[in-house]
């Protein structure tokens, strides 16, 4: 039996994960956060004292890094070599490391294989940068979710502060601009809307309005 697939792509801080999580809960899909996988590899490199932009060094340790996920009612947990790193990967310096390792084709190929395997097993809503264009080109619904850089940085800043992470708006904003540029300009599977995606700009919307809008799209496809 073929499974249903929904792709949600877009830049950092557009609200992809919150929206995807809510839609998954309402509509009975498994939510898969692919950014968490790049973050886990970024964390693995940082912990080994490796410069995340050094492709050769990252490639050398790639076989030593095993990423696994668990999906339950509380959402997704991610493990690096068996250790639960769901919290550790959310630190701002790991966002940047994730974006740097994500440029390396060997890293992408390793994670895309895992992503496609997960999507074969069950109905999924998967968020990332290249899901509609590369990972799941046959997804039945593709959404490109975006918002202005200021709105995205504000949301991410509020989220980090709520978690007790010490940071400034400016730092979050600059990290975001760096990642947007890095993610959009890489050669292999860059961030861009799939031709058959629906563009959703959430700048002026509340989170709930965005969730409702995308839930409606999913209802129409099922
Ligand atoms: O989505 P999140 O912000 O957690 O992703 C962290 C980083 O991982 C992104 O900035 C991007 O560089 C990378 N990423 C990617 N492809 C994906 C998901 C994330 O390149 N499908």
């Amino acid at each position: 039996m073929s499974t249903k697939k929904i792709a949600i792509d877009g830049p950092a801080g557009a609200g992809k994960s919150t929206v995807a999580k809510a839609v998954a809960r309402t509509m009975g899909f498994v939510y898969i956060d692919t950014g968490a996988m790049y973050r886990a590899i970024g964390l693995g490199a940082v912990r080994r004292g490796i410069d995340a932009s050094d492709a050769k060094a990252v490639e050398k340790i790639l076989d030593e890094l095993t990423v696994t996920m668990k999906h339950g009612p509380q959402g997704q947990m991610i493990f690096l070599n068996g250790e639960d790193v769901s919290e550790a990967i959310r630190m701002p310096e790991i966002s940047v490391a994730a974006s740097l390792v994500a440029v390396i084709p060997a890293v992408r190929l390793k994670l895309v294989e895992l992503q496609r395997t997960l999507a074969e097993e069950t109905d999924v809503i998967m968020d990332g940068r290249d899901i509609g264009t590369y990972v799941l080109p046959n997804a039945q619904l593709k959404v490109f979710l975006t918002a202005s850089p200021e709105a995205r940085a504000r949301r991410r800043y509020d989220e980090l502060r709520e978690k007790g992470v010490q940071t400034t708006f400016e730092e979050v904003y600059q990290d975001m601009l760096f990642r947007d540029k890095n993610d959009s300009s890489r050669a292999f599977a860059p961030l861009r809307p799939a031709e058959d995606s629906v563009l959703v700009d959430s700048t002026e919307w509340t989170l709930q309005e965005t969730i409702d809008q995308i839930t409606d799209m999913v209802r129409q496809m099922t």
Side-chain angles (χ1 to χ4, degrees):
M1 197 183 75
S2 74
T3 54
K4 291 185 198 126
K5 300 170 189 33
I6 302 173
I8 306 215
D9 290 302
K16 300 184 299 292
S17 65
T18 314
V19 170
K21 243 182 254 170
V23 174
R25 209 177 307 123
T26 314
M27 303 299 295
F29 283 68
V30 169
Y31 164 57
I32 297 173
D33 170 4
T34 63
M37 301 178 187
Y38 291 92
R39 287 168 179 270
I41 301 289
L43 179 70
V46 168
R47 281 187 174 171
R48 283 167 173 73
I50 285 171
D51 173 359
S53 62
D54 183 342
K56 283 223 161 63
V58 174
E59 274 170 27
K60 228 183 237 166
I61 59 152
L62 205 49
D63 283 345
E64 295 167 22
L65 303 177
T66 304
V67 177
T68 45
M69 342 260 297
K70 238 191 224 165
H71 297 95
Q74 295 90 344
Q76 172 184 270
M77 287 167 82
I78 182 147
F79 301 84
L80 179 62
N81 297 337
E83 177 196 343
D84 180 2
V85 292
S86 312
E87 286 290 319
I89 57 167
R90 298 292 157 200
M91 295 299 115
E93 65 272 24
I94 304 305
S95 305
V96 174
S99 187
L100 292 171
V101 297
V103 172
I104 305 166
V107 170
R108 302 201 71 82
L109 291 173
K110 175 181 173 111
L111 296 182
V112 167
E113 191 182 314
L114 174 60
Q115 292 154 14
R116 287 184 178 151
T117 305
L118 290 169
E120 269 168 26
E121 293 165 356
T122 170
D123 293 345
V124 295
I125 178 161
M126 192 176 276
D127 83 358
R129 304 293 187 286
D130 59 339
I131 310 304
T133 53
Y134 187 76
V135 181
L136 304 176
N138 297 324
Q140 290 89 340
L141 175 67
K142 300 179 184 178
V143 176
F144 194 84
L145 183 60
T146 188
S148 72
E150 291 76 17
R152 293 189 283 114
R154 172 62 53 193
R155 290 174 194 164
R156 188 49 63 87
Y157 173 70
D158 290 344
E159 205 177 280
L160 288 169
R161 291 300 300 245
E162 217 165 89
K163 280 189 190 154
V165 177
Q166 287 300 316
T167 185
T168 61
F169 174 79
E170 194 51 31
E171 190 181 18
V172 174
Y173 184 59
Q174 291 306 328
D175 273 8
M176 190 157 281
L177 293 183
F178 169 81
R179 288 204 285 147
D180 284 356
K181 189 160 176 274
N182 200 44
D183 294 344
S184 314
S185 61
R186 67 174 172 241
F188 186 9
L191 167 67
R192 62 177 170 80
E195 273 171 19
D196 50 350
S197 63
V198 185
L199 195 75
V200 176
D201 185 333
S202 71
T203 308
E204 304 292 335
W205 293 357
T206 64
L207 210 47
Q208 193 54 51
E209 286 169 330
T210 314
I211 291 169
D212 292 346
Q213 176 87 7
I214 296 178
T215 306
D216 275 352
M217 290 181 199
V218 177
R219 283 218 171 89
Q220 281 167 26
M221 83 176 239
T222 47

